């Protein structure tokens, strides 16, 4: 039935909006996400369904992060990088602090940490599913709509093309860890070659790339900073 297709469409659009918004931009041939959203959300009934699914997907994404950090914390002998669940980016530390605060709140209520606790915190971290957009594969923007960031100086949704590793709202998933490590290795090698060949401009380029990647995962920064 056409109504059933409408439900399917709402879920597909919601998945694209939260996982890969550029797909929708390419399908419609638009130059900005705002234009795409305008056309999609002009249908009020469809907009309600899409927004409901999108909010739930964002909450579940945050819950997955919380669950992994809590599990890592239980396995860690002390508060260290392992307690971040393998996540990187400056936002990982902020999320971890939020978990500590919420765990204390749960314990003060006389309850044990459970699935409901993780979902409750995820709901708070995402403002009931209105934040935590995936700006690119493995990179999540935890910025609230009303906050400003390096990608968007004014209040508004994150701008994926301007996402920076130095942003305090950037959360990187664990599977990127090895890729970032390899990238730093290649950049260091290229920097050393350029230095030996006295190519100052090329060396400056690779130095900038190294600085960009170093801040993505704390353990990688600590290890590579020991490299002379």
């Amino acid at each position: 039935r056409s109504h059933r297709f409408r439900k399917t469409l709402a879920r597909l659009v919601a998945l694209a909006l939260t996982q890969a918004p550029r797909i929708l931009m390419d399908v419609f041939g638009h130059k900005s996400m705002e234009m795409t959203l305008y056309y999609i959300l002009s249908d009020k009934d469809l907009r309600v369904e899409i927004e409901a699914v999108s909010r739930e997907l964002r909450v579940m994404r945050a819950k997955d992060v919380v669950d992994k950090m809590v599990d890592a914390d239980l396995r860690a002998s002390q508060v260290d990088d392992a307690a971040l669940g393998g996540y990187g980016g400056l936002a990982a530390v902020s999320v971890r602090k939020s978990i500590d605060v919420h765990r204390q709140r749960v314990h003060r209520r006389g309850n044990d940490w459970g699935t409901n606790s993780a979902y409750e915190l995820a709901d708070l971290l995402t403002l009931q599913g209105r934040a935590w957009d995936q700006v690119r594969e493995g990179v999540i923007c935890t910025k609230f709509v009303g906050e400003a960031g390096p990608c968007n100086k004014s209040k508004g949704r994150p701008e994926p093309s301007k996402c920076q590793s130095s942003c305090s709202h950037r959360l990187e998933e664990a599977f990127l860890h090895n890729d970032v490590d390899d990238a730093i290795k290649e950049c260091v090698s290229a920097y050393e070659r350029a230095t030996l060949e006295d190519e100052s401009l090329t060396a400056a380029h690779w130095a900038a790339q190294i600085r960009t990647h170093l801040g993505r995962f704390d353990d990688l920064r600590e290890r590579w900073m020991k490299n002379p």
Side-chain angles (χ1 to χ4, degrees):
R1 295 180 299 172
S2 60
H3 183 69
R4 182 65 188 88
F5 179 74
R6 185 188 187 90
K7 294 285 187 181
T8 302
L9 176 63
R11 282 157 178 75
L12 289 174
V13 171
L15 281 168
L17 285 175
T18 57
Q19 301 289 352
R22 187 164 184 81
I23 290 178
L24 291 177
M25 292 172 57
D26 292 341
V27 168
F28 287 103
H30 294 158
K31 294 182 179 180
S32 68
M33 178 52 59
E34 287 73 17
M35 184 181 297
T36 303
L37 290 175
Y38 173 79
Y39 282 101
I40 292 176
L41 303 182
S42 60
D43 186 321
K44 294 182 179 180
D45 293 334
L46 184 61
R47 178 179 64 193
V48 171
E49 295 177 16
I50 291 174
E51 289 178 345
V53 177
S54 298
R55 286 196 298 270
E56 184 63 22
L57 288 171
R58 293 188 183 99
V59 173
M60 294 309 297
R61 172 185 292 153
K63 180 181 178 299
D64 187 49
V65 174
V66 171
D67 284 336
K68 289 180 179 178
M69 285 193 178
V70 171
D71 290 341
D73 187 37
L74 294 176
R75 294 193 303 268
S77 59
Q78 58 183 2
V79 178
D80 54 16
D81 293 332
L84 295 178
Y87 288 92
L90 297 179
V93 177
S94 299
V95 173
R96 170 55 202 267
K97 291 180 179 177
S98 297
I99 292 174
D100 291 340
V101 172
H102 194 65
R103 290 177 74 177
Q104 294 174 9
R105 186 182 300 119
V106 170
H107 292 157
R108 283 198 298 269
R109 294 200 299 252
N111 300 324
D112 294 327
W113 182 272
T115 302
N116 291 337
S117 305
Y119 186 90
E120 182 182 40
L121 176 58
D123 196 51
L124 293 172
L125 290 173
T126 61
L127 281 181
Q128 293 76 50
R130 291 192 291 272
W132 280 54
D133 288 329
Q134 180 168 308
V135 296
R136 64 187 63 171
E137 186 178 8
V139 178
I140 301 170
C141 178
T142 63
K143 183 175 79 70
F144 294 159
V145 175
E147 290 183 310
C151 70
N152 189 347
K153 301 300 181 181
S154 60
K155 296 179 180 179
R157 303 199 70 83
E159 175 53 55
S161 64
K162 298 180 181 179
C163 185
Q164 302 177 24
S165 61
S166 59
C167 179
S168 61
H169 303 295
R170 178 163 165 154
L171 180 69
E172 307 216 27
E173 297 192 57
F175 73 85
L176 292 176
H177 186 277
N178 290 337
D179 291 341
V180 174
D181 192 21
D182 290 339
I184 296 175
K185 181 179 180 180
E186 292 298 324
C187 290
V188 170
S189 296
Y191 172 80
E192 291 174 341
R193 288 196 301 271
T195 301
L196 289 175
E197 295 171 3
D198 198 26
E199 297 180 357
S200 58
L201 291 179
T202 302
H205 165 77
W206 289 114
Q209 292 296 313
I210 294 170
R211 285 192 290 270
T212 296
H213 289 306
L214 279 179
R216 298 176 65 179
F217 289 89
D218 287 346
D219 63 319
L220 293 182
R221 180 177 64 249
E222 182 179 352
R223 176 158 59 84
W224 278 102
M225 286 300 291
K226 296 177 182 178
N227 184 297

